[in-house]
Amino acid sequence: MLEVRNLSVFYGQHHAVEDASVTVGADEIVVMLGANGAGKSTLIRSIAGLAPARPGCSIRMDGEEIAALPPHEIVEKGIALVPEDRGIFGDLTVDENLTLGAFPDRARGAEAANRERIYALFPVLKERRRQAVRTMSGGEQQMVAIGRAIMSAPSILLLDEPSLGLSPLLCRDLFRALAEIRTQGVGIFLVEQNSKQSLAIADRGYLLENGHVVGADSAANLLADEAVSRSYLGAGEA
Amino acid sequence: MDILILGILLGGSYALMALGLQLQYGVARIMNLANGEVLVAGSFGAFWFWTGLKLSPFLSIVPAALLAFAANWLVYRYVLRPLVRRAKSHGQLEVDSILATFGMSFILVGVMIAVFGGEYFSYSYLARPFEIFGQPYGLNRIVAFGGSAVLCIVLALWLTRSRTGLALRGVAVNPTAAGLVGIDVLKASALAFALGGAVTATGGALLSAFLTFDASLGVIFTMKALIIIIFGGVSDIRGAIVASFILGIVESAVARLIDPGLTLAAAYILFIAVLLWRPQGLFGRKSA
């Protein structure tokens, strides 16, 4: 269980995120919707230790405070981030990327099992295991990125706009894979700019505006809400 | 043929110092301008082993590597890490580290002059001819080449096969992602910097078997290592090794066919040609 309480992140004088509170349970999919620049990336990067939170904020993982830890220690607590630029090692092969994914101590024991899990989820990666990742397509790179994160045996998987730059077909496959990962007991928190598909697989959703959480509801209610559709799902566009 | 073999023998010894700088620049992201001084310190170590202790200069590799590892680790930990923490961008770190290590190179030159004096040094060890294809070559060159080749292969295997080696390559490719997979990037950088220093000092000990050196020769080797890693690509071991051989062959060809005094000029011409036509390195790809 990931609990974020009153998180604020400042860039200089500008507050990118202010007083945001979010929880993600062990086997639910939670999506945060927000426009470009609403602070979604900052929020999710801050949870992973890439953007320093203001003192006094609380980020707890299974009750343990992790707000001031560096990224490599947060991974050990069971939180894995797939950043917007995917966070993969372009010059290395698929296999090497997955091996590096299992670098945390918590992941060593289950390395072989997790690798099989990923190859079962994304069979194309097994075929291309010796290929340098930078030579692969965007969709395949996103699979490597998710695979690399799963290799660290996370309890909570964070994804920053995973559907960015993918075709609708690839998006569908991606969200299907995320739903599958959830059934294996991994909680998923993703931020998305404008995606009905993400809400369709989610249990709950948050709305983020100018760094503030302005709404929270079940995914079904958010999908049904006209105002939400207009502002966040692109349905109102002419 | 003669030129080719001499060049390959020389290039093999260059490869080690280039890999040392590559670890420091590619992984730890410190452009270490004191790299050549560490190499010369290794040469002095070998000289002292042979003339002072009457031990084979090749035996000096072990203490030289250990000592250089420890010294470089301390330098990274206490001098360079504050710069890494402070740097807001890669560019700023590059400028800061170049200035800091440039200063350090003067300190090292000064210390070596104070300890050993300013004259030229060389020693005679295994200075027997050894025939390859009917031509005699110094046995010391061949043993130095062999030692360097073995160490390069061990290092390359370690970087590709071991988990720690893979972690260092991960940091070289993408430091942010390295943190996200649980690698302590600062620790990995310190290890790479220390290891790079150890490899360079070893290279210096091997080179001294057939090279005359003095305390201020380091800067020339820094430049040669720089030429090799720019030529070969900043994070590509294969590229650095091939580039070392090319530099060795070019230098021995120029020395033999034109004038020995022009070897350094030839190296710079090669460097400028690379910067103009292939700035991404031999096997490198164009950066976006």
Side-chain angles (χ1 to χ4, degrees):
Chain A
M1 172 92 139
L2 171 69
E3 296 166 282
V4 179
R5 291 266 163 271
N6 311 111
L7 176 70
S8 296
V9 186
F10 283 64
Y11 287 131
Q13 287 302 305
H14 168 74
H15 50 256
V17 173
E18 199 168 20
D19 224 16
S21 296
V22 171
T23 60
V24 184
D27 50 7
E28 60 175 350
I29 297 184
V30 177
V31 57
M32 173 160 278
L33 299 175
N36 211 353
K40 305 186 304 295
S41 275
T42 306
L43 176 85
I44 204 166
R45 287 169 66 84
S46 179
I47 297 172
L50 291 179
R54 269 280 151 124
C57 308
S58 161
I59 305 174
R60 283 168 184 274
M61 181 65 196
D62 295 329
E64 196 180 346
E65 188 58 56
I66 61 165
L69 297 181
H72 65 267
E73 288 178 28
I74 292 177
V75 191
E76 295 283 2
K77 306 294 179 198
I79 296 174
L81 167 69
V82 178
E84 196 179 324
D85 66 4
R86 301 201 169 111
I88 47 181
F89 304 94
D91 289 335
L92 306 184
T93 66
V94 173
D95 249 355
E96 287 174 328
N97 269 271
L98 297 185
T99 305
L100 274 178
F103 193 85
D105 290 334
R106 66 179 277 124
R108 301 279 169 98
E111 181 174 347
N114 280 332
R115 196 183 294 264
E116 284 317 306
R117 239 168 100 191
I118 290 155
Y119 285 149
L121 200 60
F122 306 117
V124 64
L125 294 188
K126 192 166 189 176
E127 290 162 27
R128 310 210 160 178
R129 56 203 296 174
R130 308 244 175 272
Q131 195 174 331
V133 168
R134 66 176 157 80
T135 64
M136 300 170 81
S137 72
E140 288 163 347
Q141 290 191 9
Q142 192 60 267
M143 293 176 200
V144 175
I146 293 171
R148 184 232 91 202
I150 299 287
M151 285 302 286
S152 69
S155 312
I156 302 282
L157 177 62
L158 310 174
L159 300 114
D160 192 353
E161 302 221 32
S163 67
L164 202 72
L166 299 187
S167 71
L169 203 66
L170 282 171
C171 273
R172 207 193 55 202
D173 291 348
L174 170 83
F175 286 119
R176 203 175 280 164
L178 291 181
E180 172 69 27
I181 291 166
R182 184 258 299 267
T183 65
Q184 299 169 349
V186 180
I188 294 176
F189 181 53
L190 63 157
V191 302
E192 275 287 335
Q193 193 168 321
N194 120 29
S195 175
K196 267 193 171 136
Q197 279 168 309
S198 62
L199 269 182
I201 59 158
D203 301 294
R204 293 187 297 115
Y206 291 94
L207 305 176
L208 194 70
E209 216 169 80
N210 293 326
H212 295 265
V213 176
V214 294
D217 208 336
S218 74
N221 285 349
L222 289 174
L223 263 177
D225 190 319
E226 282 283 317
V228 170
S229 285
R230 251 197 318 281
S231 337
Y232 296 97
L233 306 178
E237 283 166 26
Chain B
M1 196 63 200
D2 192 27
I3 292 171
L4 211 60
I5 291 176
L6 263 183
I8 288 172
L9 291 177
L10 187 60
S13 307
Y14 284 166
L16 213 49
M17 75 172 179
L19 290 188
L21 186 60
Q22 200 171 42
L23 278 168
Q24 297 188 324
Y25 186 51
V27 181
R29 290 183 162 68
I30 301 291
M31 174 42 79
N32 183 9
L33 292 188
N35 189 55
E37 275 67 35
V38 172
L39 179 131
V40 173
S43 300
F44 272 116
F47 175 82
W48 180 67
F49 247 62
W50 179 233
T51 58
L53 300 177
K54 306 291 175 211
L55 289 170
S56 161
F58 292 117
L59 280 180
S60 74
I61 286 175
V62 178
L66 291 175
L67 212 64
F69 185 94
N72 279 274
W73 189 86
L74 288 172
V75 164
Y76 185 86
R77 176 68 185 75
Y78 292 103
V79 180
L80 300 171
R81 211 172 84 170
L83 300 182
V84 174
R85 293 226 155 143
R86 192 179 71 188
K88 291 199 170 55
S89 68
H90 185 50
Q92 191 193 349
L93 176 61
E94 202 140 88
V95 172
D96 284 356
S97 66
I98 283 173
L99 291 174
T101 58
F102 193 46
M104 230 153 17
S105 76
F106 286 111
I107 296 174
L108 284 171
V109 170
V111 168
M112 286 189 288
I113 289 179
V115 174
F116 291 96
E119 63 267 36
Y120 283 94
F121 293 85
S122 67
Y123 56 87
S124 180
Y125 181 75
L126 293 180
R128 296 193 292 272
F130 184 88
E131 290 203 357
I132 304 174
F133 300 120
Q135 286 278 341
Y137 299 92
L139 186 58
N140 46 20
R141 279 181 190 258
I142 290 162
V143 175
F145 172 83
S148 171
V150 168
L151 286 171
C152 283
I153 290 166
V154 169
L155 192 64
L157 284 177
W158 181 75
L159 282 172
T160 46
R161 301 290 161 83
S162 78
R163 188 177 281 273
T164 313
L166 183 61
L168 293 193
R169 287 163 62 220
V171 174
V173 174
N174 188 343
T176 310
L180 289 177
V181 299
I183 298 168
D184 185 338
V185 175
L186 283 175
K187 235 181 182 171
S189 297
L191 172 66
F193 192 82
L195 194 63
V199 169
T200 302
T202 308
L206 291 173
L207 269 168
S208 70
F210 60 90
L211 213 73
T212 303
F213 60 94
D214 74 326
S216 59
L217 194 63
V219 60
I220 290 180
F221 285 105
T222 302
M223 289 305 141
K224 285 182 183 180
L226 196 60
I227 292 169
I228 290 167
I229 66 166
I230 302 290
F231 193 5
V234 170
S235 60
D236 187 341
I237 308 174
R238 282 173 315 158
I241 290 173
V242 173
S244 303
F245 286 131
I246 292 174
L247 183 66
I249 291 166
V250 166
E251 285 192 354
S252 60
V254 170
R256 178 64 57 86
L257 301 175
I258 308 172
D259 187 286
L262 284 178
T263 51
L264 203 58
Y268 284 115
I269 291 170
L270 189 68
F271 185 42
I272 290 169
V274 168
L275 280 182
L276 286 177
W277 285 298
R278 220 176 149 68
Q280 73 273 36
L282 270 182
F283 300 111
R285 67 207 144 88
K286 288 198 169 68
S287 54

